[in-house]
Amino acid sequence: QVQLVESGGDLVQPGGSLKLSCTVSGGALSFHDMAWYRQTRGNQRDLVATLPRSGPSEYVDSVKGRFTVSRDNAGNTVYLQMSDLKGDDTAVYYCYLKTPSWAVQQYEMWGQGTQVTVSS
């Protein structure tokens, strides 16, 4: 069974940087499309950035130029590098995985979430 384990959330000051990790077990990262989402209390889970199996990643406007996503297929890990963090970036960050549309077996999965708090 495919599982996602996230790490890296922390308390950071405004303007600081943080790098989140999401490790996939039970399946090959290279087979899956990935994404990062975030959620604040009482709000829906919003897309932050995509990491497709192939092709460029996409970012929501609020993080463009500050956040960078990457994937290490050999290490089965995806990353979210965040810089110039702002208070509005405070949220629980979730890693998301899904199978390609052409895959015989379709599934999607969420990580457990990791808390990022931006505060002085």
Side-chain angles (χ1 to χ4, degrees):
Q1 182 179 358
V2 176
Q3 292 185 323
L4 308 178
V5 178
E6 300 160 9
S7 62
D10 206 345
L11 170 64
V12 62
Q13 292 187 344
S17 298
L18 204 60
K19 188 173 185 177
L20 306 183
S21 301
C22 172
T23 299
V24 178
S25 62
L29 173 62
S30 60
F31 179 70
H32 298 92
D33 294 317
M34 305 293 294
W36 285 95
Y37 284 75
R38 64 187 179 185
Q39 185 174 23
T40 55
R41 188 173 298 178
N43 293 315
Q44 66 183 17
R45 199 168 291 185
D46 294 324
L47 178 67
V48 175
T50 64
L51 292 103
R53 292 178 63 252
S54 60
S57 292
E58 295 185 350
Y59 300 84
V60 296
D61 288 345
S62 60
V63 308
K64 284 181 180 177
R66 301 188 298 119
F67 289 13
T68 302
V69 293
S70 59
R71 59 194 296 158
D72 173 10
N73 286 335
N76 260 18
T77 301
V78 297
Y79 302 96
L80 176 63
Q81 175 69 55
M82 305 182 290
S83 61
D84 191 20
L85 282 161
K86 307 175 188 301
D88 287 347
D89 296 319
T90 296
V92 178
Y93 284 72
Y94 294 90
C95 181
Y96 171 77
L97 168 153
K98 73 176 183 71
T99 47
S101 57
W102 47 260
V104 173
Q105 184 182 9
Q106 290 288 314
Y107 54 85
E108 59 181 10
M109 196 151 300
W110 294 93
Q112 83 282 6
T114 186
Q115 176 70 48
V116 173
T117 303
V118 183
S119 176
S120 55

